[in-house]
Amino acid sequence: MTPGTSLLFDPASVEPLSRDRPLFMGFVRDAETAHILRAALAPAFPAGLILHTVPFAGSLERLGQIETPRTILIDVSGEDQPLSAILQLEAVVDPGTRVLVIGDNRSVSFYRSLTRNLGVKEYLPKPLDIAMVTRNLLPWAIGAEPVAEPTRGGAMVALCGAGGGVGVTTIATNLAWLIGGETRRHTILLDTDLYRGSAALAANVPPSTGLRSALEAPDRIDPLLIERAAHPATERLHVLAAEEALNEVWSLRPGGGRALSNALRQRYNFVIADIPARPLGFAAEILALAQQRILILEASSQSLRHAKRWIDLPAGAMQTRRPIVILNRYHRKQPLSPKLIAAELGSEIAVIVPDLGAKAVRASDLGETLVSQKGSFRDAIVKLARLIGAAPGPPPAKAAEAVASISIGAP
């Protein structure tokens, strides 16, 4: 086909046949590619990613028997005439479907023929990698569109825990309080667990009723809406946390996390995101969009095992560094030393946070900040803030030097 010819796949030309048809379905011809696609796409589909490993002919046969999903991914690698193969899709693809293609042709002319002349939304040549799929295919797969990341905007930092109960919310809350309250940078603490509202409790503010509404209608998200939905903890620290009913099922629109992220970064210098131990849906979107991950673990075998799995997770498209590793609630009587943990993870421990015992629990229950009090806990949070560029001061000391200054037990 030549430029100016009508597109084969033009979802803007007609309304979709059914609102109930699947959001996405993929067809690939080899297990290695399927593994990469699952690693990149599956977190955005908590109900299950539909991905078939079949040759191209099998894709045609399957699509001819069903109502086409809203977005399909087709593998044309190994086809002698890949353009002719794409033309065969016209007979089995319903109007209103967005088509993604992968293959083994690396020429620019082939890419242009697909995307400009045939209406294919994106083409990627093999071999694929997780970052490439996350950046170029994931937005289409979830019903959104890739957008250029703003050249200016605040930094989003995701704090993750190697298992539940390792102190992520405590560290996230105190880090956000330090940045917003003391360094006077506009900061928002975002709790991505939509059912617990733990960050709101820790910051002593009510949970938001606007976060759910925003995620249900991401096209309406803008900085003004977010500012109205968030609750102020201090003059320059806001908190955005929901506490939805545990037994209520509601629809989270795909792409809501990206829309929210863009709006938050336009309004705030720092977005501190509290990520649950099992990130799915909205939390998975925010985790993939963060510029930096902070991984928090304790000096236990179970926590170390979970931390290894977090370290192995693929980095998001905006993440250029490995996760910053934080060893929390540490005291010298624990069996696993920082040196041993670092060796097992293959990653340096950047900050060691002392064990505060019941003091930390009491502060969390009462919505009090620990970082406002002088001591080793504050020193650790200040060091973390400097690592992410959120606090002035000299470069942080090495982790090994920090261990020597930490007191044992609650100060």
Side-chain angles (χ1 to χ4, degrees), residues 319-331:
Q319 294 159 21
T320 58
R321 295 190 294 164
R322 287 170 62 85
I324 296 173
V325 179
I326 308 297
L327 179 58
N328 193 27
R329 298 172 181 161
Y330 177 74
H331 58 79

Side-chain angles (χ1 to χ4, degrees), residues 13-27:
S13 62
V14 293
E15 288 295 319
L17 296 180
S18 169
R19 295 183 180 274
D20 296 328
R21 57 180 176 161
L23 187 64
F24 173 82
M25 183 178 294
F27 300 87

Side-chain angles (χ1 to χ4, degrees), residues 239-252:
V239 180
L240 192 55
E243 195 175 52
E244 301 297 330
L246 294 176
N247 60 347
E248 185 174 355
V249 179
W250 53 282
S251 175
L252 174 64

Side-chain angles (χ1 to χ4, degrees), residues 116-177:
R116 295 185 181 182
N117 301 340
L118 299 184
V120 169
K121 289 303 181 183
E122 185 60 274
Y123 170 76
L124 292 182
K126 292 181 177 182
L128 305 181
D129 62 56
I130 293 174
M132 180 194 305
V133 173
T134 301
R135 181 172 58 251
N136 297 293
L137 299 185
L138 177 59
W140 293 115
I142 62 177
E145 296 185 11
V147 295
E149 296 292 343
T151 54
R152 294 185 179 181
M156 187 159 68
V157 182
L159 282 79
C160 321
V166 297
V168 174
T169 299
T170 297
I171 292 180
T173 303
N174 282 274
L175 176 64
W177 193 93

